[in-house]
Amino acid sequence: KAGVTQTPRYLIKTRGQQVTLSCSPISGHRSVSWYQQTPGQGLQFLFEYFSETQRNKGNFPGRFSGRQFSNSRSEMNVSTLELGDSALYLCASRRDQNYEQYFGPGTRLTVT
Amino acid sequence: GNSVTQMEGPVTLSEEAFLTINCTYTATGYPSLFWYVQYPGEGLQLLLKATKADDKGSNKGFEATYRKETTSFHLEKGSVQVSDSAVYFCALSRDTGNQFYFGTGTSLTVIP
């Protein structure tokens, strides 16, 4: 069974631009969560989508948004990029609550 | 609120040495506790978990016991191998399983 895939794997953007990251969950998984990983802050929860609805949200500004499609694929968008948005963005999927999360390899975003 | 604190790294050990990585938590309700491992260039993988007090999670020679009285979930392994070199994350999820809270990660390097 294919794992969680994330595209692109690496991205370089300039301050002020916007970016869209994509995540394809494991087949049959309806929940997709997004995390930001930085050396200083560690792993921080951004949001979770389930059946195309945002079910949970972390403490990030409104510049960070997401959506989920009917096939459970999810996208995350960051607008007006700041230098501090440079991070590894991880996506995780699971069947539903109380099931194990499976993580993708991440998208490395660098903002210059 | 909910949070996880784990020991700072990096940790360097010789092969066959004993490993302990400390993890303490703050949580409301009755959280589930997890250890995840991240190998270079990969996403996180679930290593072990415990869902209630006094439970012991174990996998691949690693163990951790859910200690409610000390709010701890320390990771241990009796004899580490070079292949155990990775970053280890302690995490908790609230009893609803909706949101995960991660520690900052502890980098382990095992030298032959």
Side-chain angles (χ1 to χ4, degrees):
Chain A
K1 179 152 97 164
V4 179
T5 57
Q6 293 187 244
T7 55
R9 291 294 309 276
Y10 302 92
L11 206 47
I12 300 175
K13 289 286 188 179
T14 304
R15 265 181 306 177
Q17 289 186 312
Q18 74 165 17
V19 67
T20 299
L21 313 181
S22 180
C23 172
S24 292
I26 291 172
S27 178
H29 288 193
R30 296 192 294 167
S31 165
V32 173
S33 295
W34 288 90
Y35 295 85
Q36 182 194 66
Q37 185 179 15
T38 59
Q41 300 295 320
L43 267 161
Q44 294 186 286
F45 173 77
L46 280 153
F47 29 66
E48 180 194 13
Y49 285 86
F50 180 82
S51 292
E52 302 180 64
T53 301
Q54 188 179 87
R55 183 160 69 175
N56 216 348
K57 188 177 189 308
N59 293 325
F60 277 80
R63 300 185 297 108
F64 293 81
S65 63
R67 60 177 175 169
Q68 187 179 33
F69 302 94
S70 58
N71 62 358
S72 294
R73 190 177 70 84
S74 177
E75 288 182 346
M76 191 192 99
N77 184 275
V78 188
S79 62
T80 320
L81 283 165
E82 301 177 359
L83 294 179
D85 297 332
S86 295
L88 181 67
Y89 289 88
L90 292 166
C91 162
S93 77
R94 55 180 170 168
R95 291 190 185 195
D96 198 351
Q97 296 176 31
N98 301 319
Y99 284 86
E100 178 184 343
Q101 286 191 112
Y102 292 84
F103 282 82
T107 294
R108 173 76 62 185
L109 172 65
T110 302
V111 182
T112 62
Chain B
N2 302 293
S3 65
V4 174
T5 302
Q6 61 182 104
M7 67 185 273
E8 295 281 334
V11 174
T12 302
L13 294 173
S14 297
E15 205 165 23
E16 298 183 4
F18 184 85
L19 168 72
T20 299
I21 300 178
N22 290 337
C23 170
T24 57
Y25 68 89
T26 302
T28 55
Y30 302 94
S32 295
L33 301 174
F34 306 82
W35 277 100
Y36 281 83
V37 59
Q38 185 177 32
Y39 298 102
E42 299 183 15
L44 276 69
Q45 301 173 24
L46 178 64
L47 182 59
L48 54 84
K49 68 179 181 182
T51 57
K52 61 182 188 296
D54 300 324
D55 266 3
K56 177 187 283 189
S58 61
N59 185 26
K60 300 180 182 179
F62 291 89
E63 292 183 340
T65 301
Y66 189 149
R67 301 281 188 205
K68 193 167 176 64
E69 63 276 14
T70 54
T71 61
S72 65
F73 193 55
H74 305 320
L75 182 69
E76 297 181 335
K77 186 175 185 182
S79 176
V80 293
Q81 306 299 312
V82 172
S83 57
D84 295 327
S85 298
V87 180
Y88 292 82
F89 292 88
C90 185
L92 71 83
S93 73
R94 298 177 305 180
D95 49 2
T96 59
N98 265 347
Q99 183 170 337
F100 281 72
Y101 299 84
F102 286 85
T104 52
T106 301
S107 174
L108 170 67
T109 300
V110 180
I111 55 177

